[in-house]
Amino acid sequence: MSARQKKSSDAVFRDRLFIGGRWVDAVGGGRLPVIDPATEETIHEVPAADAADVDRAVTAARGAFDGGWGGSSGACRAEYLRNIAAAIRARRDELARVEVRDNGKPLPEARWDIDDTADCFEYYAELAEELDGRQGEAVDVGTADFRSTVRYEPVGVVGQIIPWNYPMLMAAWKLAPALAAGATCVLKPSELTPLTALEYGAIAEEIGLPPGVLNVLTGTGADAGAPLSRHSDVDKLAFTGSVPTGMRVMTAAAQDIKNVSLELGGKSPFIVFEDADVEQAVEWIMFGIFWNQGEVCSATSRLLVHEDIAPALLARLKEEAERLPIGNGFDPGVLLGPLVSEGQYRKVRGFIEDGLIAGATVLTGGDRPVGLERGYFLQPTVFTDVREDMRIWREEIFGPVLCVKTFGNESEALRLAHATDYGLAAAVMSAGLERCERVAAALRAGIVWINCSQPTFTQAPWGGMKQSGIGRELGRWGLHNYLEVKQITRYQSARPWGWYLK
Ligand code: NAD
């Protein structure tokens, strides 16, 4: 442990960048505070990487790619992935606690994240092994004169930039498929939640991952993210975050035609028909907007409820929202923690003020919970009397704020659902499964939940339509994010070609 590494009550917080298998200080020597959002205390500092560190990390990743990782077998990479999963499982509780201090989420949710993280590495270990069996697959080109086969090759050096809402899990969604594919990684976590990203460095070291295969740079978007996006030796950028930043990353990628995948924001609708069970609806509506403090890209933040069921449903929703236990993520029974940062807290409160000024009604919440004077805590909030032109209806709030509108029939519900630039997720609830399937097919969203909202599976594709992104993560689609497809075509006829030489 270096002198500056800090021991919290539960864990060691790393305090250096992980580049080329070594712990190093940032070239410029800058540091960034890490703040516990439940207490507003600075609990640690991490290095503020800049362009010089990006260059070192990309060079290390290139060296590792060319030095063997890029040409290794899927079976070999699968073993490393399983070892990463095992190392994560062995430290499950400790990592979950680090996540609570860094992000604020309730401990049971953090444990769930860590389990999903380990599952993700195990899943992609299987896909890495399968990949070996798919190399050299023949393609029928319709003639026996040629034999065409396909190879799946790793894309190369990948820059991976992630947000703060699921710090360790969002990294896993990128690292696991990239490593499975044979790519090498430079991971740039959010400056708001850098701690578990650095733990990936510690795990790589522990399991003996070849140096340079996985590099971790903590730093701001402007000083570390932007230079990573425009580095000429990065082959692919995988980004998760907001639409404005996604536009910047895509613009940078366009300068030298880098491969790019984007997982961006959302303003996802939840359509509840008149035949839905009110109790089930309330449960899933709450899970759709209050889970993880509503800091979820796919949060179903726009509720569209049939006018016949609206009064009963909203009365029950208000009751349950007001019973939600709010507090420090470590306190037993807490289901809503603080927002991640002061900036996010101000942003969400700004939206609430904006909604009130625009004439929406607060059905419940809208303020700091009584008795929680420190920390970025906010009551679960539900707005009614929302108009379509209001910012709270149109823009991603990324907090525990639900906006409600009623509808009279299916086509009106679909029209309201579609009136957005986003297309990440949507949910529909009805006792009529045929209706659910019809609406699910009509919805312009990458993910549609029927009679639930938010359950996410490593095996199923994840990503958005419209301004919610480009490409898909998770499942076999996630692996293909990091693969180049090469055709090898052989002329195998004994006959001369005979075009010029007759
Ligand atoms: P953000 O766009 O502010 O930041 C995301 C990351 O980009 C951070 O690591 C940040 O440091 C970095 N960054 C900032 N400026 C950059 C630049 N100019 N060049 C390169 N990198 C830069 O987003 P956030 O506030 O961290 O996260 C919230 C957003 O993420 C929401 O919009 C949410 O919907 C989205 N999100 C999407 C998904 C998904 O799967 N679609 C998942 C989680 C979060």
Coordinates of all heavy atoms in Angstrom, one line a residue, residues 376-454:
Y376 N -27.0 14.9 -0.4 CA -27.8 15.4 -1.5 C -29.1 14.6 -1.6 O -29.4 14.0 -2.6 CB -26.9 15.3 -2.8 CG -25.6 15.9 -2.6 CD1 -24.4 15.2 -2.7 CD2 -25.5 17.3 -2.2 CE1 -23.1 15.8 -2.5 CE2 -24.2 17.9 -2.0 CZ -23.1 17.1 -2.1 OH -21.9 17.7 -1.9
F377 N -29.9 14.7 -0.6 CA -31.1 14.0 -0.5 C -32.3 14.8 -1.1 O -32.4 16.0 -0.9 CB -31.4 13.6 1.0 CG -30.4 12.7 1.6 CD1 -29.4 13.1 2.4 CD2 -30.5 11.3 1.3 CE1 -28.5 12.2 2.9 CE2 -29.6 10.4 1.8 CZ -28.5 10.9 2.6
L378 N -33.2 14.0 -1.7 CA -34.4 14.6 -2.3 C -35.5 13.7 -2.2 O -35.4 12.4 -2.3 CB -34.1 14.9 -3.8 CG -35.1 15.6 -4.6 CD1 -35.3 17.0 -4.1 CD2 -34.8 15.6 -6.1
Q379 N -36.7 14.2 -1.9 CA -37.9 13.3 -1.7 C -38.2 12.8 -3.1 O -38.1 13.4 -4.1 CB -39.1 14.2 -1.3 CG -39.0 14.6 0.2 CD -40.0 15.7 0.5 OE1 -40.5 16.4 -0.4 NE2 -40.5 15.7 1.7
P380 N -38.8 11.6 -3.1 CA -39.3 11.1 -4.4 C -40.5 12.0 -4.8 O -41.3 12.4 -4.0 CB -39.9 9.7 -4.1 CG -39.9 9.6 -2.6 CD -39.0 10.6 -2.0
T381 N -40.4 12.4 -6.1 CA -41.3 13.5 -6.5 C -42.2 13.1 -7.7 O -41.7 12.4 -8.6 CB -40.4 14.7 -6.9 OG1 -39.6 15.1 -5.8 CG2 -41.2 15.8 -7.5
V382 N -43.5 13.4 -7.6 CA -44.4 13.1 -8.7 C -45.1 14.4 -9.2 O -45.7 15.0 -8.3 CB -45.4 12.0 -8.3 CG1 -46.3 11.7 -9.5 CG2 -44.7 10.7 -7.8
F383 N -45.0 14.7 -10.4 CA -45.7 15.8 -11.0 C -46.9 15.4 -11.8 O -46.8 14.4 -12.6 CB -44.8 16.5 -12.0 CG -43.9 17.6 -11.4 CD1 -42.5 17.4 -11.4 CD2 -44.4 18.8 -11.0 CE1 -41.7 18.3 -10.9 CE2 -43.6 19.7 -10.4 CZ -42.2 19.5 -10.4
T384 N -48.0 16.1 -11.6 CA -49.2 15.9 -12.4 C -49.5 17.3 -13.1 O -48.7 18.2 -12.9 CB -50.5 15.5 -11.6 OG1 -50.6 16.4 -10.6 CG2 -50.3 14.1 -11.1
D385 N -50.5 17.3 -13.9 CA -50.9 18.5 -14.7 C -49.6 19.0 -15.5 O -49.3 20.1 -15.5 CB -51.3 19.7 -13.8 CG -52.5 19.3 -12.9 OD1 -53.4 18.7 -13.5 OD2 -52.5 19.6 -11.7
V386 N -49.0 18.0 -16.1 CA -47.8 18.3 -16.9 C -48.3 18.5 -18.4 O -49.1 17.7 -18.9 CB -46.9 17.1 -16.8 CG1 -45.6 17.3 -17.7 CG2 -46.5 16.8 -15.4
R387 N -47.7 19.5 -19.0 CA -48.0 19.7 -20.4 C -46.8 19.2 -21.3 O -45.7 19.2 -20.8 CB -48.2 21.2 -20.7 CG -49.5 21.8 -20.2 CD -49.7 23.3 -20.8 NE -48.5 24.0 -20.9 CZ -48.0 24.8 -19.9 NH1 -48.7 24.9 -18.8 NH2 -46.9 25.4 -20.0
E388 N -47.1 18.9 -22.5 CA -46.1 18.4 -23.4 C -45.0 19.3 -23.7 O -43.9 18.9 -24.0 CB -46.7 17.9 -24.7 CG -47.3 16.6 -24.7 CD -47.7 16.1 -26.0 OE1 -46.9 15.6 -26.8 OE2 -48.9 16.3 -26.4
D389 N -45.2 20.6 -23.6 CA -44.1 21.6 -23.9 C -43.2 21.9 -22.7 O -42.3 22.6 -22.8 CB -44.7 22.9 -24.4 CG -45.6 23.6 -23.3 OD1 -46.1 22.9 -22.4 OD2 -45.8 24.8 -23.4
M390 N -43.5 21.3 -21.5 CA -42.7 21.6 -20.3 C -41.4 20.9 -20.4 O -41.3 19.7 -20.8 CB -43.5 21.1 -19.1 CG -44.7 22.0 -18.7 SD -45.4 21.4 -17.2 CE -46.8 22.4 -17.1
R391 N -40.4 21.5 -19.9 CA -39.0 20.9 -19.8 C -39.0 19.6 -19.0 O -38.3 18.7 -19.4 CB -38.0 21.9 -19.2 CG -37.5 22.9 -20.2 CD -36.4 23.7 -19.6 NE -35.2 23.0 -19.2 CZ -34.6 23.1 -18.0 NH1 -35.0 23.9 -17.1 NH2 -33.5 22.3 -17.8
I392 N -39.8 19.6 -17.9 CA -39.8 18.4 -17.1 C -40.4 17.2 -17.9 O -40.1 16.0 -17.5 CB -40.6 18.5 -15.8 CG1 -42.0 19.0 -16.0 CG2 -39.8 19.4 -14.8 CD1 -42.9 19.0 -14.8
W393 N -41.2 17.4 -18.9 CA -41.7 16.3 -19.7 C -40.8 15.9 -20.8 O -40.7 14.8 -21.3 CB -43.1 16.7 -20.3 CG -43.8 15.6 -21.1 CD1 -43.8 15.5 -22.4 CD2 -44.4 14.5 -20.5 NE1 -44.5 14.4 -22.8 CE2 -44.9 13.7 -21.6 CE3 -44.6 14.0 -19.2 CZ2 -45.6 12.5 -21.5 CZ3 -45.3 12.8 -19.1 CH2 -45.8 12.1 -20.2
R394 N -40.0 16.9 -21.3 CA -39.2 16.7 -22.5 C -37.8 16.3 -22.2 O -37.2 15.5 -23.0 CB -39.2 18.0 -23.4 CG -40.6 18.5 -23.7 CD -40.4 19.8 -24.4 NE -39.9 19.6 -25.8 CZ -40.5 19.2 -26.8 NH1 -41.8 19.0 -26.7 NH2 -39.9 19.0 -28.0
E395 N -37.2 16.8 -21.1 CA -35.8 16.6 -20.9 C -35.5 15.5 -19.8 O -36.2 15.4 -18.9 CB -35.1 17.9 -20.5 CG -35.2 18.9 -21.7 CD -34.6 20.3 -21.3 OE1 -33.7 20.3 -20.4 OE2 -35.0 21.3 -21.9
E396 N -34.3 14.9 -20.0 CA -33.9 13.9 -19.0 C -33.6 14.6 -17.7 O -32.7 15.4 -17.7 CB -32.7 13.1 -19.5 CG -32.3 12.0 -18.6 CD -31.1 11.2 -19.2 OE1 -30.1 11.9 -19.6 OE2 -31.1 10.0 -19.2
I397 N -34.2 14.2 -16.6 CA -33.9 14.8 -15.3 C -32.9 14.1 -14.6 O -32.0 14.6 -13.9 CB -35.2 15.0 -14.5 CG1 -36.2 15.9 -15.2 CG2 -34.9 15.5 -13.1 CD1 -37.6 16.0 -14.5
F398 N -32.9 12.7 -14.7 CA -31.9 11.8 -14.1 C -31.9 12.0 -12.5 O -30.9 12.2 -11.9 CB -30.5 12.1 -14.6 CG -29.8 10.9 -14.9 CD1 -30.2 9.9 -15.8 CD2 -28.5 10.6 -14.3 CE1 -29.5 8.7 -16.1 CE2 -27.8 9.4 -14.5 CZ -28.3 8.5 -15.4
G399 N -33.1 11.9 -12.0 CA -33.3 11.9 -10.6 C -34.7 11.3 -10.3 O -35.4 10.9 -11.2
P400 N -35.1 11.2 -9.0 CA -36.4 10.5 -8.6 C -37.6 11.4 -8.9 O -38.3 11.7 -8.0 CB -36.2 10.2 -7.1 CG -35.3 11.4 -6.7 CD -34.4 11.7 -7.8
V401 N -37.8 11.8 -10.1 CA -38.9 12.7 -10.5 C -39.7 12.1 -11.6 O -39.2 11.9 -12.7 CB -38.3 14.1 -10.9 CG1 -39.4 15.0 -11.3 CG2 -37.4 14.7 -9.8
L402 N -41.0 11.9 -11.3 CA -41.9 11.2 -12.3 C -42.8 12.3 -12.8 O -43.4 13.1 -12.0 CB -42.6 10.1 -11.6 CG -43.6 9.3 -12.5 CD1 -42.9 8.5 -13.5 CD2 -44.5 8.4 -11.6
C403 N -43.1 12.3 -14.1 CA -44.1 13.2 -14.7 C -45.2 12.4 -15.2 O -45.0 11.4 -15.9 CB -43.5 14.0 -15.8 SG -42.2 15.1 -15.2
V404 N -46.5 12.8 -14.9 CA -47.6 12.0 -15.2 C -48.5 12.7 -16.2 O -48.8 13.9 -16.0 CB -48.4 11.6 -14.0 CG1 -49.6 10.7 -14.3 CG2 -47.5 11.1 -12.9
K405 N -49.0 12.0 -17.2 CA -50.1 12.5 -18.1 C -51.1 11.3 -18.3 O -50.7 10.2 -18.2 CB -49.5 12.8 -19.5 CG -48.9 14.2 -19.5 CD -48.5 14.6 -20.9 CE -49.7 15.2 -21.7 NZ -50.2 16.4 -21.0
T406 N -52.3 11.7 -18.5 CA -53.4 10.7 -18.7 C -53.7 10.6 -20.2 O -53.3 11.5 -21.0 CB -54.7 11.0 -18.0 OG1 -55.1 12.3 -18.4 CG2 -54.5 11.0 -16.5
F407 N -54.2 9.5 -20.6 CA -54.6 9.3 -22.0 C -56.0 8.6 -22.0 O -56.4 8.0 -21.1 CB -53.6 8.5 -22.8 CG -53.4 7.1 -22.4 CD1 -54.2 6.0 -22.9 CD2 -52.4 6.7 -21.4 CE1 -54.1 4.7 -22.5 CE2 -52.3 5.4 -21.0 CZ -53.1 4.4 -21.5
G408 N -56.6 8.7 -23.2 CA -58.0 8.1 -23.4 C -58.0 6.8 -24.2 O -58.9 6.0 -24.0
N409 N -57.0 6.7 -25.1 CA -57.0 5.4 -25.9 C -55.6 5.1 -26.3 O -54.7 5.9 -26.2 CB -58.0 5.6 -27.1 CG -57.5 6.8 -28.0 OD1 -56.4 6.9 -28.3 ND2 -58.5 7.6 -28.3
E410 N -55.5 3.9 -26.9 CA -54.1 3.4 -27.3 C -53.3 4.3 -28.2 O -52.1 4.6 -28.0 CB -54.3 2.0 -27.9 CG -53.0 1.2 -28.1 CD -53.3 -0.2 -28.6 OE1 -54.1 -0.9 -28.0 OE2 -52.7 -0.6 -29.6
S411 N -54.0 4.8 -29.2 CA -53.3 5.6 -30.2 C -52.8 6.9 -29.6 O -51.7 7.4 -29.8 CB -54.1 5.9 -31.5 OG -55.2 6.6 -31.2
E412 N -53.6 7.5 -28.6 CA -53.1 8.7 -28.0 C -51.9 8.4 -27.1 O -51.0 9.2 -27.0 CB -54.3 9.3 -27.1 CG -54.0 10.6 -26.5 CD -55.0 11.1 -25.5 OE1 -56.0 10.4 -25.3 OE2 -54.8 12.2 -24.9
A413 N -52.0 7.2 -26.4 CA -50.8 6.8 -25.6 C -49.6 6.7 -26.4 O -48.5 7.2 -26.0 CB -51.1 5.5 -24.9
L414 N -49.7 6.1 -27.6 CA -48.5 5.9 -28.4 C -48.0 7.2 -29.0 O -46.8 7.5 -29.0 CB -48.8 5.0 -29.6 CG -48.7 3.5 -29.2 CD1 -49.3 2.6 -30.3 CD2 -47.3 3.1 -28.9
R415 N -48.9 8.1 -29.3 CA -48.5 9.4 -29.8 C -47.7 10.2 -28.7 O -46.6 10.7 -29.0 CB -49.7 10.3 -30.2 CG -49.3 11.6 -30.9 CD -50.4 12.6 -31.0 NE -50.8 13.1 -29.7 CZ -50.1 14.0 -28.9 NH1 -48.9 14.4 -29.3 NH2 -50.5 14.4 -27.8
L416 N -48.2 10.1 -27.5 CA -47.5 10.8 -26.4 C -46.1 10.1 -26.1 O -45.1 10.8 -25.9 CB -48.4 10.8 -25.1 CG -49.5 11.7 -25.1 CD1 -50.5 11.3 -24.0 CD2 -49.0 13.2 -24.8
A417 N -46.1 8.8 -26.2 CA -44.9 8.1 -25.9 C -43.8 8.4 -26.9 O -42.6 8.6 -26.6 CB -45.2 6.6 -25.9
H418 N -44.2 8.6 -28.1 CA -43.3 8.8 -29.2 C -42.8 10.3 -29.4 O -41.8 10.5 -30.1 CB -43.9 8.4 -30.6 CG -43.9 6.9 -30.7 ND1 -44.8 6.2 -31.4 CD2 -43.1 6.0 -30.1 CE1 -44.5 4.9 -31.3 NE2 -43.5 4.7 -30.6
A419 N -43.5 11.2 -28.7 CA -43.1 12.6 -28.9 C -41.9 13.0 -28.1 O -42.0 13.7 -27.1 CB -44.3 13.5 -28.5
T420 N -40.8 12.4 -28.4 CA -39.5 12.6 -27.7 C -38.4 12.3 -28.7 O -38.5 11.6 -29.7 CB -39.4 11.7 -26.5 OG1 -38.0 11.7 -26.0 CG2 -39.7 10.2 -26.9
D421 N -37.2 13.0 -28.4 CA -36.0 12.7 -29.3 C -35.3 11.4 -28.9 O -34.4 10.9 -29.5 CB -35.0 13.9 -29.1 CG -35.5 15.1 -29.7 OD1 -36.3 15.1 -30.7 OD2 -35.1 16.2 -29.3
Y422 N -35.7 10.9 -27.7 CA -35.1 9.7 -27.2 C -35.8 8.4 -27.6 O -36.9 8.5 -28.0 CB -35.1 9.7 -25.6 CG -34.2 10.8 -25.0 CD1 -34.8 11.9 -24.4 CD2 -32.8 10.7 -25.1 CE1 -34.0 12.9 -23.8 CE2 -32.0 11.7 -24.5 CZ -32.6 12.8 -23.9 OH -31.8 13.7 -23.3
G423 N -35.1 7.3 -27.5 CA -35.7 6.0 -27.8 C -35.0 4.9 -27.1 O -34.7 3.9 -27.7
L424 N -34.7 5.1 -25.8 CA -33.9 4.0 -25.1 C -34.8 2.9 -24.7 O -34.7 1.8 -25.1 CB -33.2 4.6 -23.9 CG -32.3 3.6 -23.2 CD1 -31.3 3.0 -24.1 CD2 -31.5 4.3 -22.0
A425 N -35.8 3.2 -23.8 CA -36.7 2.2 -23.2 C -38.1 2.6 -23.2 O -38.4 3.8 -23.4 CB -36.2 1.8 -21.8
A426 N -39.0 1.7 -22.9 CA -40.4 2.0 -22.7 C -41.0 0.8 -21.9 O -40.4 -0.3 -21.9 CB -41.1 2.1 -24.0
A427 N -42.1 1.0 -21.3 CA -42.8 -0.1 -20.6 C -44.3 0.0 -20.8 O -44.8 1.1 -21.1 CB -42.5 0.0 -19.1
V428 N -44.9 -1.1 -20.8 CA -46.4 -1.1 -21.0 C -47.0 -2.2 -20.0 O -46.4 -3.2 -19.8 CB -46.8 -1.4 -22.5 CG1 -46.1 -2.7 -23.0 CG2 -48.3 -1.6 -22.7
M429 N -48.1 -1.8 -19.4 CA -48.8 -2.7 -18.5 C -50.3 -2.8 -18.8 O -50.9 -1.8 -18.9 CB -48.6 -2.2 -17.1 CG -49.2 -3.1 -16.0 SD -48.7 -2.7 -14.3 CE -47.2 -3.6 -14.2
S430 N -50.7 -4.0 -18.9 CA -52.1 -4.3 -19.2 C -52.4 -5.8 -18.9 O -51.5 -6.6 -19.0 CB -52.5 -4.0 -20.7 OG -53.7 -4.6 -21.0
A431 N -53.6 -6.1 -18.6 CA -54.0 -7.5 -18.4 C -54.1 -8.2 -19.7 O -54.0 -9.4 -19.8 CB -55.3 -7.6 -17.7
G432 N -54.2 -7.4 -20.8 CA -54.3 -8.0 -22.2 C -53.0 -8.2 -22.8 O -52.4 -7.2 -23.3
L433 N -52.5 -9.4 -22.8 CA -51.1 -9.6 -23.4 C -51.0 -9.3 -24.8 O -50.0 -8.8 -25.3 CB -50.7 -11.0 -23.1 CG -50.1 -11.3 -21.7 CD1 -49.5 -12.7 -21.6 CD2 -49.1 -10.2 -21.3
E434 N -52.1 -9.5 -25.5 CA -52.1 -9.2 -27.0 C -51.9 -7.7 -27.2 O -51.1 -7.3 -28.0 CB -53.5 -9.6 -27.6 CG -53.3 -10.2 -28.9 CD -54.7 -10.7 -29.4 OE1 -55.1 -11.9 -29.1 OE2 -55.4 -10.0 -30.1
R435 N -52.6 -6.9 -26.4 CA -52.4 -5.5 -26.4 C -51.0 -5.1 -26.1 O -50.4 -4.2 -26.8 CB -53.4 -4.8 -25.5 CG -53.1 -3.3 -25.3 CD -54.4 -2.5 -25.0 NE -54.9 -2.7 -23.7 CZ -55.9 -2.1 -23.2 NH1 -56.6 -1.3 -23.9 NH2 -56.3 -2.4 -22.0
C436 N -50.5 -5.7 -25.0 CA -49.1 -5.4 -24.7 C -48.1 -5.7 -25.8 O -47.2 -4.9 -26.1 CB -48.7 -6.3 -23.5 SG -49.4 -5.8 -21.9
E437 N -48.3 -6.8 -26.5 CA -47.4 -7.2 -27.6 C -47.5 -6.2 -28.7 O -46.5 -5.9 -29.3 CB -47.7 -8.6 -28.0 CG -47.4 -9.7 -27.0 CD -45.9 -10.0 -26.7 OE1 -45.1 -9.5 -27.5 OE2 -45.6 -10.6 -25.7
R438 N -48.8 -5.8 -29.0 CA -49.0 -4.9 -30.1 C -48.3 -3.5 -29.8 O -47.6 -3.0 -30.7 CB -50.5 -4.7 -30.3 CG -50.9 -3.8 -31.4 CD -52.4 -3.8 -31.6 NE -53.1 -3.3 -30.5 CZ -54.0 -3.9 -29.8 NH1 -54.4 -5.2 -30.1 NH2 -54.7 -3.4 -28.8
V439 N -48.5 -3.1 -28.6 CA -47.9 -1.8 -28.2 C -46.4 -1.9 -28.2 O -45.6 -1.0 -28.7 CB -48.5 -1.3 -26.9 CG1 -47.7 -0.1 -26.3 CG2 -49.9 -1.0 -27.0
A440 N -45.9 -3.0 -27.7 CA -44.4 -3.2 -27.6 C -43.8 -3.2 -29.0 O -42.7 -2.6 -29.2 CB -44.1 -4.6 -26.9
A441 N -44.5 -3.8 -30.0 CA -44.0 -3.8 -31.3 C -44.0 -2.4 -31.9 O -43.2 -2.0 -32.7 CB -44.8 -4.7 -32.2
A442 N -45.0 -1.6 -31.5 CA -45.1 -0.2 -32.1 C -44.2 0.8 -31.5 O -43.8 1.8 -32.1 CB -46.6 0.3 -31.9
L443 N -43.7 0.5 -30.3 CA -42.9 1.5 -29.6 C -41.5 1.6 -30.2 O -40.9 0.6 -30.5 CB -42.7 1.1 -28.1 CG -44.0 1.4 -27.2 CD1 -43.9 0.7 -25.9 CD2 -44.1 2.9 -27.0
R444 N -41.1 2.9 -30.4 CA -39.7 3.1 -31.0 C -38.7 3.2 -29.9 O -38.4 4.3 -29.4 CB -39.8 4.4 -31.8 CG -40.5 4.3 -33.1 CD -39.7 3.8 -34.3 NE -38.6 4.7 -34.6 CZ -37.4 4.3 -35.1 NH1 -37.2 3.0 -35.4 NH2 -36.5 5.1 -35.3
A445 N -38.3 2.1 -29.4 CA -37.3 2.1 -28.3 C -36.5 0.8 -28.4 O -37.0 -0.2 -28.8 CB -38.1 2.1 -26.9
G446 N -35.3 0.8 -27.9 CA -34.4 -0.4 -28.0 C -34.8 -1.4 -26.9 O -34.4 -2.6 -27.1
I447 N -35.5 -1.0 -25.9 CA -35.8 -2.0 -24.8 C -37.3 -1.7 -24.5 O -37.7 -0.6 -24.2 CB -35.0 -1.7 -23.6 CG1 -33.5 -1.8 -23.9 CG2 -35.3 -2.7 -22.4 CD1 -32.7 -0.7 -23.2
V448 N -38.1 -2.8 -24.5 CA -39.5 -2.6 -24.1 C -39.8 -3.6 -23.0 O -39.6 -4.8 -23.2 CB -40.5 -2.7 -25.2 CG1 -41.9 -2.5 -24.7 CG2 -40.2 -1.7 -26.3
W449 N -40.3 -3.1 -21.9 CA -40.7 -4.0 -20.8 C -42.2 -4.2 -20.8 O -42.9 -3.2 -20.9 CB -40.3 -3.5 -19.4 CG -38.8 -3.6 -19.2 CD1 -38.1 -4.8 -18.9 CD2 -37.8 -2.5 -19.1 NE1 -36.8 -4.5 -18.7 CE2 -36.6 -3.1 -18.8 CE3 -37.9 -1.2 -19.3 CZ2 -35.4 -2.4 -18.7 CZ3 -36.7 -0.4 -19.2 CH2 -35.5 -1.0 -18.9
I450 N -42.7 -5.4 -20.6 CA -44.1 -5.7 -20.5 C -44.4 -6.1 -19.1 O -43.8 -7.0 -18.6 CB -44.6 -6.8 -21.5 CG1 -44.4 -6.3 -23.0 CG2 -46.0 -7.2 -21.2 CD1 -44.8 -7.3 -24.0
N451 N -45.4 -5.4 -18.5 CA -45.8 -5.7 -17.1 C -44.7 -5.6 -16.1 O -44.7 -6.3 -15.1 CB -46.6 -7.0 -17.0 CG -47.9 -6.9 -17.7 OD1 -48.4 -5.8 -18.0 ND2 -48.5 -8.0 -18.1
C452 N -43.7 -4.8 -16.4 CA -42.6 -4.5 -15.4 C -41.8 -3.3 -16.0 O -42.2 -2.8 -17.0 CB -41.6 -5.8 -15.3 SG -40.8 -6.3 -16.8
S453 N -40.8 -2.9 -15.3 CA -39.9 -1.8 -15.8 C -38.5 -2.0 -15.1 O -38.4 -2.2 -13.9 CB -40.5 -0.5 -15.4 OG -39.6 0.6 -15.8
Q454 N -37.5 -2.0 -15.9 CA -36.1 -2.0 -15.6 C -35.3 -3.4 -15.5 O -34.1 -3.3 -15.6 CB -35.8 -1.2 -14.3 CG -36.3 0.2 -14.3 CD -35.9 1.0 -15.4 OE1 -34.7 1.0 -15.8 NE2 -36.8 1.7 -16.1

